[in-house]
Amino acid sequence: SSSVVWDDVNKEFDINQTGVYEVVLYATITSAGAQGVDLYIEVDNVDQNLMQPYIHNLVSPTFRGISWVGTVNSGSSITASIMSTLGTFNVNFELGSTLIVKKIN
């Protein structure tokens, strides 16, 4: 069986084998205004890496990438999330955003 399985109900990657994983997020982001955003890679809802780009609605969509390499235990889940640092404008992952999870060891 595969060590990484997509769970479409919970929108997460489920890990079935403990090991070292590489996680890469290529994000296409839209915003209703100019603001800072937080991009997270998470394992079991715990932040593993954070990027805080500034985006502007006049230059939208914006493309950003973030990655993380680390040990993930069997039974864990890997997700990515986005949040406005101001809370005043909606930010979203758009079509073309990709989360890649690979077991490397």
Side-chain angles (χ1 to χ4, degrees), residues 31 33-40 55 82-92:
S31 172
Q35 64 180 323
V37 297
D38 292 341
L39 293 174
Y40 300 94
I55 62 174
I82 187 171
M83 183 174 65
S84 166
T85 58
L86 298 176
T88 51
F89 299 111
N90 289 333
V91 291
N92 300 294

Side-chain angles (χ1 to χ4, degrees), residues 7-100:
D7 177 347
D8 200 44
V9 173
N10 295 309
K11 306 299 184 206
E12 65 187 20
F13 283 101
D14 294 331
I15 303 303
N16 296 322
Q17 192 175 51
T18 298
V20 177
Y21 287 80
E22 175 185 27
V23 183
V24 179
L25 170 65
Y26 296 110
T28 303
I29 307 166
T30 58
S31 172
Q35 64 180 323
V37 297
D38 292 341
L39 293 174
Y40 300 94
I41 291 176
E42 302 157 325
V43 175
D44 294 330
N45 297 315
V46 176
D47 299 343
Q48 303 301 313
N49 198 2
L50 165 67
M51 179 183 196
Q52 297 178 303
Y54 187 82
I55 62 174
H56 198 288
N57 59 310
L58 296 178
V59 188
S60 189
T62 299
F63 303 97
R64 295 291 186 265
I66 182 175
S67 63
W68 174 79
V69 174
T71 300
V72 182
N73 294 322
S74 180
S76 293
S77 64
I78 296 176
T79 56
S81 62
I82 187 171
M83 183 174 65
S84 166
T85 58
L86 298 176
T88 51
F89 299 111
N90 289 333
V91 291
N92 300 294
F93 290 131
E94 296 296 336
L95 186 64
S97 296
T98 307
L99 183 62
I100 301 167

